[in-house]
Amino acid sequence: MTASPTPPGPPGPVPGGAPPPGQGPAPSYAPAARLSPRMLLIDPVRMLPSLFLPLVGVLFVGGFSPPSFGWAAIGVVGSVAYSVIRWATFTYRIVDDRLELTRALVSRSVRTIPLERVRGVDIATPPLHRLLGLAVLRIDTGAHGAGKQEGELDGVTVAEAERLKTVLLRTARARRAATPGAGPEIGPDGPLAAVDAPAAGAGTCVPGEAIGASEAIEAGASAHAAAHREPEVVYARVPRKWLRYGPLSGAYLLTPFALAAGAVGLAFQWGEQLGFGGDAAVSAGRWLWDHPYLLLVAAALLVVAMPLAGVVMYAIFNWDFTLRSRDGYLVAERGLITRRSVSLERRRVRGFEIVEGLAERWAGVARVWAIVTGLGDSQTRGQLLPVVPRAEAGRVTGAAIGVLAAPLRPHPPAARRRRLFRAVAPWAALTAAGALLALATGAGAWWVPTGIAFVLALLGVPLGLDRYRSLGHAYDGTHLSVRSGALRRAQAVVERRAVVGWTLKQTWFQRRAGVLTVIAGVGAGVGGYEAVDVSEADGPAFAAEVTPDWIAPFMR
Amino acid sequence: MSVPLRDPANQVSRRAITLWLLESLFGFVLLVGGSALAATWISGASWSWLPRWIEAGIWWLPAAVAVLMAPFVVIEPFWRYAVHRWELSGDVVYARSGWLSRQWVFVPVSRIQTVDKEQGWFERLLGLATVEIRTASYAGSSSIKGLDYAVAARLAEDLARRAEELRDDAT
């Protein structure tokens, strides 16, 4: 889908007047390059786990005899040879306006990625790579479907990765800036959208200027300077003491259990491989069963380990989180062992979502995601901030993306009745059914689930009220916002120009309560953001307030 | 109080009632057949924990399902015909659909990415078609069902052409 009306831009890969900074790149990109040969050290190490069991098996079957050593050697040599051939047959190069990844291992395959489709470039350095000064470069093209058009260069030197990133992003942006079409309202790769870049050069709205407006305020740079060379701004550098908030998000809390389960699984698997047989494991289990207090102690230990493991895992993944802007990209960097850097093109950022769990609200902290058009895997890639105090989240999103300058409007009392009913009624019904059963059968055992259901019904009251308090919607002239949820409260703030349509929904029950749900269709993030249970009068009025031309003609 | 949105101008084809009737009959047969199957299974299983009266009267289940659902088979198509309406004016597609639950969709033509005209098996039989309008978001996408084939063809063509024109203006 290289756009046919590509304008007569500079044919070379680097557009004039935009020399890449830093180390001088090689002037020509045409010759195909290979990954770093240092990868030959990494590949066999990575294959070790998959070789390990077969090798152990061979040694056990054949004993420590010359033939089995021979087989083991063949296995090792074979895998090394495989990685050498794989390395030798994989090349990449940038030709004109595209990146070509050629793999000629069995059959020759060329993956072509048009540079104008490059939306972001991630650089990650897993531990082994870091040891050897290598990095993994991932190219995000925003294609739908996992890995359909993504490119990966696993094992280039860090300097080469930085150089490629600069070249890819710069060329991609220059290409697109010269090709109007990825306009603000056009969403991810719609068939019409991508092809339809008219040659009608400078229209009224050059995409570069569309962001320029918002960027100029923040970075204090002019629109064009912002598009080309913008001073690097650090929006957030998360202090290490905030890592302790990590477990409040619930992330990684189950790590001890996962580790324990993994260990048991491995013990079984290797036990059989190493010849202990299943009997040993079964008798071990039986022995444990006979000493239940040991199981209890183990369970208690696991529970105690939860917050600790949570902090450790969270710290490993979110170590020294920084968010900065560089050359029209928002760059988020984090990680202790694997340092991960994600670049989000600012032109595609349409808003943000602030998420708080119950524990996080109690502690006054929140997480933030960016709402970006055409971002694959947005859950891991789109994260703008890990768990940080709410005020900091507000400050950073305000500086990096935008501010919602209007208070959330509450929803009508009917919404509170509905939230309460939905939180309480199912458990109340179960309580009643359980009580009836218990009375009818006279079996005391029925009272246990009945009691649990009753407690849950009682808890439903504060939960329902809290859900109601979470509800809200707002519009301040440039951004609209909706919020909902109690156990996981999420507030989305989206730019007006990202709205591509509206859906209003009313179930039969909502109609009787005089409320409806308004869904703003947005060509980014999850696609739609809902204002739940708005009054019948306010719902269409809200949509009409945001986009009067689309709704007002149809109002009564 | 009701939703302060006026009715979209155009109704769908009258033959859409037949379409919905066929579809709801199909669903009705599946539902009653399914509950009859379940009844056969339960009466043959003779579980000890099941009270005797349930097992004895299990054949009331499909009968009850049939009696309860039968009115809806007739009501739904006519109700839908009253609700389903559409309109294209001011470069916005405005469509209403549903019966027990309702939904209103507003799609500005300038944001449309694709327009499809589709015909299912029943629709082809009745000379009807569905126009699917897609934007970058599910909540800005709409499908207008039960249109006369000629109307659907013209609408799809108009929308596609107009979307092209508007995009030219916008960029």
Side-chain angles (χ1 to χ4, degrees):
Chain A
M1 225 188 245
T2 38
S4 44
T6 308
V14 181
Q23 69 285 338
S28 158
Y29 304 98
R34 292 212 164 84
L35 297 175
S36 166
R38 274 174 261 170
M39 274 308 283
L40 296 178
L41 294 175
I42 294 183
D43 262 347
V45 175
R46 268 202 253 178
M47 287 184 187
L48 268 185
S50 53
L51 272 178
F52 185 77
L53 285 181
L55 284 184
V56 169
V58 162
L59 288 181
F60 263 85
V61 172
F64 288 86
S65 60
S68 53
F69 282 130
W71 284 115
I74 287 176
V76 171
V77 169
S79 67
V80 170
Y82 174 73
S83 46
V84 170
I85 294 172
R86 215 168 55 145
W87 170 79
T89 54
F90 178 79
T91 57
Y92 64 92
R93 63 173 172 174
I94 298 178
V95 187
D96 288 345
D97 57 353
R98 58 192 192 273
L99 172 67
E100 287 184 357
L101 308 178
T102 310
R103 189 177 286 287
L105 184 57
V106 181
S107 59
R108 195 181 148 82
S109 81
V110 181
R111 171 175 290 178
T112 305
I113 300 174
L115 292 190
E116 65 191 349
R117 300 292 287 283
V118 175
R119 302 241 167 108
V121 176
D122 301 359
I123 296 180
T125 51
L128 273 177
H129 286 66
R130 187 185 287 187
L131 212 62
L132 297 169
L134 298 181
V136 182
L137 189 85
R138 273 192 207 93
I139 297 151
D140 177 20
T141 54
H144 294 287
K148 205 170 71 183
Q149 254 217 345
E150 311 261 302
E152 186 181 83
L153 296 176
D154 184 356
V156 289
T157 60
V158 171
E160 170 73 353
E162 285 296 335
R163 183 189 72 85
L164 278 173
K165 179 179 171 182
T166 315
V167 171
L168 287 174
L169 294 186
R170 202 173 282 280
T171 317
R173 194 170 53 251
R175 288 265 151 202
R176 260 199 311 269
T179 316
E185 76 283 4
I186 291 171
D189 313 308
L192 282 174
V195 182
D196 248 63
T204 45
C205 167
V206 178
E209 275 169 359
I211 25 136
S214 54
E215 258 170 12
I217 302 164
E218 296 143 14
S222 79
H224 273 283
H228 287 295
R229 192 161 260 247
E230 158 199 0
E232 186 172 302
V233 182
V234 176
Y235 291 120
R237 211 183 283 278
V238 178
R240 287 183 193 155
K241 63 176 183 194
W242 287 355
L243 288 172
R244 70 195 146 96
Y245 295 136
L248 294 177
S249 67
Y252 312 116
L253 275 188
L254 294 179
T255 315
F257 293 96
L259 284 179
V264 170
L266 265 186
F268 264 91
Q269 198 181 347
W270 287 25
E272 269 174 32
Q273 293 275 350
L274 297 175
F276 297 134
D279 300 345
V282 170
S283 55
R286 204 165 280 155
W287 181 81
L288 266 182
W289 194 246
D290 291 340
H291 301 73
Y293 61 89
L294 270 182
L295 274 180
L296 271 181
V297 168
L301 275 180
L302 284 180
V303 169
V304 169
M306 274 170 71
L308 191 70
V311 169
V312 170
M313 294 297 287
Y314 177 83
I316 286 175
F317 285 108
N318 290 292
W319 193 257
D320 283 349
F321 189 103
T322 52
L323 178 71
R324 55 166 68 92
S325 101
R326 188 195 292 152
D327 291 338
Y329 283 80
L330 281 176
V331 184
E333 263 187 45
R334 62 171 164 190
L336 182 63
I337 296 171
T338 296
R339 192 88 184 137
R340 192 175 158 86
S341 135
V342 179
S343 305
L344 301 174
E345 197 181 355
R346 298 193 82 172
R347 219 163 45 79
R348 297 194 167 271
V349 176
R350 295 288 184 270
F352 58 90
E353 190 167 26
I354 296 189
V355 178
E356 305 150 284
L358 209 53
E360 290 170 290
R361 270 161 64 195
W362 168 75
V365 295
R367 290 162 281 165
V368 182
W369 274 267
I371 296 173
V372 186
T373 63
L375 181 70
D377 190 14
S378 55
Q379 265 302 305
T380 48
R381 279 184 175 157
Q383 187 157 24
L384 274 190
L385 284 176
V387 188
V388 299
R390 250 206 91 94
E392 171 76 357
R395 189 190 66 73
V396 171
T397 52
I401 298 178
V403 189
L404 179 73
L408 286 172
R409 295 165 218 170
H411 291 202
R416 178 167 47 216
R417 278 200 303 278
R418 276 174 53 78
R419 292 304 107 191
L420 271 175
F421 183 80
R422 292 173 64 143
V424 174
W427 301 114
L430 278 181
T431 309
L436 272 180
L437 265 175
L439 290 178
T441 58
W446 281 111
W447 287 112
V448 178
T450 306
I452 294 174
F454 182 64
V455 170
L456 285 173
L458 284 184
L459 283 178
V461 175
L463 182 68
L465 288 175
D466 189 51
R467 282 207 178 122
Y468 169 71
R469 274 195 300 273
S470 289
L471 291 182
H473 61 281
Y475 178 63
D476 69 353
T478 52
H479 292 83
L480 68 120
S481 178
V482 295
R483 190 177 70 178
S484 64
L487 300 178
R488 179 187 184 277
R489 187 167 80 177
Q491 178 177 9
V493 177
V494 185
E495 282 176 46
R496 174 188 186 273
R497 65 182 172 121
V499 177
V500 296
W502 294 90
T503 297
L504 276 61
K505 272 188 178 162
Q506 191 175 39
T507 63
W508 189 67
F509 296 105
Q510 280 182 313
R511 189 147 103 217
R512 291 190 22 156
V515 294
L516 46 73
T517 295
V518 180
I519 310 172
V522 172
V526 295
Y529 292 93
E530 301 189 3
V532 182
D533 287 351
V534 188
S535 79
E536 281 180 333
D538 289 349
F542 178 56
E545 190 186 345
V546 178
T547 54
D549 297 351
W550 302 348
I551 312 290
F554 307 111
M555 304 249 312
R556 255 208 305 261
Chain B
M1 199 171 78
S2 68
V3 182
L5 287 167
R6 67 171 171 80
D7 296 342
N10 310 307
Q11 278 199 298
V12 297
S13 166
R14 265 201 161 277
R15 290 191 303 273
I17 300 178
T18 320
L19 176 70
W20 286 316
L21 202 57
L22 281 173
E23 285 180 357
S24 60
L25 266 178
F26 197 68
F28 179 75
V29 169
L30 277 184
L31 200 66
V32 174
S35 52
L37 265 181
T40 326
W41 186 44
I42 291 171
S43 68
S46 66
W47 287 309
S48 55
W49 52 268
L50 209 65
R52 200 111 308 270
W53 58 269
I54 290 187
E55 207 177 318
I58 196 64
W59 283 100
W60 286 104
L61 177 71
V65 167
V67 169
L68 279 178
M69 297 309 291
F72 289 104
V73 172
V74 184
I75 294 172
E76 187 192 335
F78 289 94
W79 197 339
R80 276 191 185 279
Y81 181 68
V83 173
H84 281 238
R85 297 177 78 100
W86 64 278
E87 179 174 347
L88 167 62
S89 68
D91 286 328
V92 177
V93 179
Y94 170 35
R96 189 176 68 184
S97 59
W99 59 303
L100 281 175
S101 305
R102 288 182 193 189
Q103 93 175 14
W104 297 257
V105 181
F106 300 86
V107 186
V109 177
S110 60
R111 303 298 197 265
I112 292 176
Q113 288 189 329
T114 61
V115 182
D116 294 347
K117 183 179 71 223
E118 287 176 1
Q119 269 191 309
W121 195 71
F122 284 146
E123 284 181 305
R124 189 173 296 180
L125 215 66
L126 293 164
L128 295 173
T130 299
V131 174
E132 295 247 16
I133 303 164
R134 292 216 179 82
T135 66
S137 156
Y138 75 88
S141 301
S142 163
S143 71
I144 307 172
K145 211 177 167 178
L147 295 177
D148 184 78
Y149 184 80
V151 174
R154 201 170 60 240
L155 177 65
E157 194 177 315
D158 285 355
L159 283 176
R161 200 181 49 239
R162 191 74 187 124
E164 198 106 343
E165 285 170 17
L166 282 182
R167 202 188 324 282
D168 282 8
D169 290 341
T171 44

